[in-house]
């Protein structure tokens, strides 16, 4: 009785015995020791057959092989073709000289009837050993296929990646447990349906058409795709689809393997955001400015338009930092960033260059109209008092404005000239703005621009 109180199963498992014998003795990689043991086994088997034959002798000479022929078959089953033929040759010798009439005569003469009888026995043995060897090979192939199928089933069931198999019409035939875990759909809920049940509506029809074109032409597609879980949540997955068919291409299957990469995608987006945005104000940083300004200049050149770069530097910021500490200074910069952001269009870009310097990139506006008014509004907003950590603080702002293509034709020059205009505003008393003017010309004052 076992520990759980049940009676042990003592049923003789013939399948297990067969598998064990054939796996051990019929392996193609059989060692020399196994081969030697096979022949020792045959010798013992034939000895047993001899004893049985002696026990039933004397019988008619026509059946002198009566106990040796089954032994040949057994030897072939256990040891293979050559082991069986070895038993056949041994049985032929023993039958010829031990049981050929007159019985037990020990005659060593080669008689015609004896030779014919031996030849028939050997031919029969050859056919039997060949048939058994063919069954061995089939069985080995079957065992190999069974092992492969069992391994494939294990991989399918325990894979961490979702697997979906469809027919030629994209009807789902089966899905694995990982698919259910990723999507929330059970197998019963998706079988017979199409993968459209997962569609997130984040891709247009051309996207899916490209997938099917690739499958028809190349038999494979791989890439990122947004799908939707059963609960309606959209998720990003890495999807590989392979087209599988027989040689005649009559039975087509599509095997899709996917894994959820939403978390890594979000993490990558966060890393990318941190790389291109200021950590304090969350405004784009200098890298974004250089890229967007370069594209903006190229677009303005192509469409014969103009753009403006506004350089902003805070007045008296250092005094706030020194008086109230850097934590108050950081809060002040965040508040200034919000005030600047609130005055911009969706197409404009506000950037923190570092320290207390900000830049605004604006496209497609008349400098004689919009920029003086915007600059004055920004100066007034930034100059409004701020209450930060119980302290009322106040700063000003000096602005410098440069235009493409009037003042510069490239990114670096435009930045330098907007910066130069800002220093001109500081030199003229701060809390004002100036347009860029060449050194030989006087800077245009805010009052002149308004007039």
């Amino acid at each position: 009785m076992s520990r759980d109180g049940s009676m042990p199963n003592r049923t003789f498992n013939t399948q297990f015995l067969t598998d064990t014998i054939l796996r051990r003795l019929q392996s193609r990689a059989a060692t020399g020791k196994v081969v030697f043991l096979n022949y020792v086994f045959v010798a013992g088997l034939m000895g047993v057959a001899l004893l049985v034959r002696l026990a039933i002798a004397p019988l008619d000479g026509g059946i002198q092989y009566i106990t040796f022929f089954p032994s040949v078959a057994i030897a072939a089953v256990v040891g293979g073709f050559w082991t069986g033929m070895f038993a056949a040759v041994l049985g032929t010798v023993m039958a010829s000289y031990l049981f050929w009439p007159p019985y037990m005569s020990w005659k060593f003469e080669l008689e015609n009837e004896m030779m014919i009888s031996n030849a028939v026995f050997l031919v029969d043995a050859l056919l039997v050993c060949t048939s058994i060897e063919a069954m061995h090979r089939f069985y080995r192939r079957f065992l190999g296929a069974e092992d492969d199928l069992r391994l494939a089933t294990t991989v399918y069931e325990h894979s961490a990646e979702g697997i979906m198999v469809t027919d030629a019409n994209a009807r789902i035939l089966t899905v694995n447990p990982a698919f259910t875990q990723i999507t929330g759909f059970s197998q019963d809920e998706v079988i017979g349906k199409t993968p459209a049940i997962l569609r997130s509506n984040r891709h247009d029809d051309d996207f899916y058409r490209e997938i099917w074109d690739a499958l028809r032409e190349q038999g494979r597609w791989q890439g990122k795709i947004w799908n939707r879980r059963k609960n309606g949540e959209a998720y990003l997955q890495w999807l590989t689809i392979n087209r599988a068919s027989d040689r005649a291409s009559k039975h087509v299957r599509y095997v899709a393997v996917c894994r959820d990469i939403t978390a890594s995608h979000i993490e990558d987006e966060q890393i990318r955001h941190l790389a291109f945005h200021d950590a304090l104000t969350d405004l784009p940083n200098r890298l974004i400015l250089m890229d967007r300004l370069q594209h903006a200049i190229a677009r303005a050149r192509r469409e014969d338009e103009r753009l403006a770069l506004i350089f902003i530097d805070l007045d008296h910021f250092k005094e706030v930092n020194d008086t109230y500490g850097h934590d108050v200074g950081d809060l002040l910069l965040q508040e200034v960033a919000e005030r600047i952001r609130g005055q911009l269009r969706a197409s404009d870009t506000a950037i923190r260059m570092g320290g207390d310097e900000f830049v605004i990139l604006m496209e497609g506006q008349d400098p004689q109209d919009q920029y003086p008014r915007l600059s004055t509004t920004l100066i007034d907003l930034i100059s409004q008092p701020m209450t930060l950590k119980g302290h009322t603080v106040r700063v000003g702002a000096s602005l410098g404005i440069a235009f493409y293509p009037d003042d510069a034709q490239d990114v670096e020059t435009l930045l330098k000239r907007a910066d130069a205009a800002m220093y001109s505003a500081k030199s003229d008393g701060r809390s004002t703005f100036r347009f860029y003017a060449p050194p030989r010309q006087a800077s245009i004052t805010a009052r002149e621009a308004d007039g």
Side-chain angles (χ1 to χ4, degrees):
M1 183 176 293
S2 61
R3 292 183 178 180
D4 59 2
S6 61
M7 294 298 294
N9 184 7
R10 300 186 181 277
T11 304
F12 183 73
N13 193 333
T14 56
Q15 180 66 34
F16 173 78
L17 178 61
T18 303
D19 287 350
T20 301
I21 293 174
L22 291 178
R23 287 178 188 275
R24 290 180 178 274
L25 301 180
Q26 287 298 308
S27 173
R28 292 184 180 183
T31 62
K33 181 178 180 180
V34 171
V35 173
F36 173 75
L37 292 176
N38 285 344
Y39 289 110
V40 171
F41 170 76
V42 169
L45 184 65
M46 298 308 290
V48 173
L50 174 61
L51 293 177
V52 174
R53 183 65 179 87
L54 291 174
I56 63 175
L59 293 175
D60 182 25
I63 57 172
Q64 67 266 27
Y65 305 102
I66 188 171
T67 57
F68 299 124
F69 197 84
S71 301
V72 171
I74 294 173
V77 168
V78 174
F81 176 81
W82 291 111
T83 304
M85 290 306 298
F86 172 74
V89 172
L90 189 59
T92 300
V93 173
M94 295 173 67
S96 298
Y97 296 107
L98 293 179
F99 302 105
W100 190 260
Y103 307 116
M104 307 297 291
S105 61
W106 293 91
K107 290 186 177 182
F108 294 95
E109 299 176 1
L110 294 176
E111 301 178 8
N112 289 336
E113 293 183 6
M114 177 193 295
M115 294 177 64
I116 294 173
S117 182
N118 289 344
V120 171
F121 174 71
L122 289 174
V123 169
D124 289 342
L126 178 64
L127 293 175
V128 168
C129 291
T130 301
S131 299
I132 292 174
E133 178 64 19
M135 288 189 293
H136 281 162
R137 294 187 179 184
F138 172 79
Y139 190 72
R140 282 196 295 266
R141 188 175 303 171
F142 172 78
L143 289 178
E146 188 179 34
D147 288 342
D148 291 343
L149 181 60
R150 188 179 296 111
L151 177 61
T153 301
T154 301
V155 172
Y156 177 80
E157 294 291 337
H158 295 88
S159 173
E161 297 182 325
I163 301 174
M164 175 179 64
V165 182
T166 72
D167 61 15
N169 298 317
R171 295 289 173 181
I172 299 175
L173 301 176
T174 182
V175 295
N176 72 336
F179 175 90
T180 298
Q181 184 177 5
I182 292 172
T183 66
F185 288 100
S186 67
Q187 190 174 73
D188 293 338
E189 290 174 319
V190 298
I191 288 181
K193 296 182 174 61
T194 68
I197 193 175
L198 304 172
R199 194 163 181 169
S200 66
N201 295 323
R202 293 198 178 191
H203 305 287
D204 55 22
D205 292 337
D206 290 338
F207 176 81
Y208 296 102
R209 192 176 298 115
E210 289 175 2
I211 293 178
W212 282 107
D213 289 344
L215 289 174
R216 280 191 295 268
E217 296 171 6
Q218 305 170 17
R220 188 172 188 269
W221 182 87
Q222 187 177 56
K224 294 179 181 179
I225 182 171
W226 282 96
N227 275 338
R228 192 173 298 279
R229 307 187 206 273
K230 182 181 178 180
N231 61 8
E233 176 188 1
Y235 70 99
L236 183 65
Q237 68 179 22
W238 181 260
L239 179 65
T240 301
I241 308 175
N242 286 285
R243 183 177 183 269
S245 62
D246 55 20
R247 294 182 179 179
S249 296
K250 292 182 178 180
H251 301 287
V252 176
R253 298 288 184 267
Y254 293 100
V255 181
V257 180
C258 66
R259 54 188 173 89
D260 187 346
I261 60 171
T262 310
S264 60
H265 171 74
I266 293 174
E267 183 177 347
D268 290 343
E269 288 296 317
Q270 291 173 341
I271 293 173
R272 189 178 296 110
H273 183 85
L274 290 173
F276 294 103
H277 287 75
D278 175 54
L280 179 63
T281 64
D282 202 38
L283 291 176
N285 59 19
R286 185 184 180 89
L287 294 174
I288 290 288
L289 172 65
M290 302 304 287
D291 179 71
R292 292 187 182 177
L293 185 54
Q294 186 174 10
H295 284 84
I297 288 177
R299 184 165 49 252
R301 183 183 296 117
R302 184 174 59 252
E303 299 177 4
D304 194 24
E305 293 182 352
R306 65 192 314 173
L307 60 87
L309 205 64
I310 304 176
F311 209 108
I312 303 173
D313 187 88
L314 301 184
D315 300 326
H316 309 297
F317 176 73
K318 186 176 184 301
E319 288 87 334
V320 173
N321 246 353
D322 293 342
T323 303
Y324 301 107
H326 289 283
D327 52 344
V328 172
D330 288 345
L331 292 175
L332 185 149
L333 291 173
Q334 291 174 346
E335 179 63 25
V336 169
E338 286 300 318
R339 293 181 181 186
I340 293 174
R341 189 186 285 116
Q343 297 302 309
L344 303 183
R345 304 169 301 170
S347 59
D348 299 332
T349 303
I351 296 100
R352 183 189 177 203
M353 295 291 285
D356 60 345
E357 295 180 337
F358 298 84
V359 170
I360 300 174
L361 170 61
M362 304 185 74
E363 301 180 61
Q365 296 205 25
D366 184 357
Q368 299 303 321
D369 179 24
Q370 178 65 20
Y371 295 108
R373 185 165 55 250
L374 174 64
S375 299
T376 302
T377 300
L378 286 173
I379 292 172
D380 291 342
L381 278 175
I382 294 173
S383 301
Q384 294 296 319
M386 309 176 195
T387 302
L388 307 171
K389 283 196 169 184
H391 305 287
T392 300
V393 297
R394 187 171 184 172
V395 295
S398 298
L399 279 66
I401 307 169
F403 296 97
Y404 169 88
D406 308 67
D407 301 322
Q409 302 288 320
D410 60 83
V411 172
E412 292 294 341
T413 304
L414 191 62
L415 274 170
K416 289 178 181 178
R417 290 185 174 175
D419 185 53
M422 181 271 297
Y423 276 105
S424 178
K426 279 189 174 294
S427 299
D428 291 344
R430 302 183 179 182
S431 293
T432 187
F433 69 92
R434 292 289 181 269
F435 294 115
Y436 173 75
R440 64 178 179 274
Q441 299 180 7
S443 300
I444 302 176
T445 65
R447 180 174 301 175
E448 291 172 339
D450 290 335

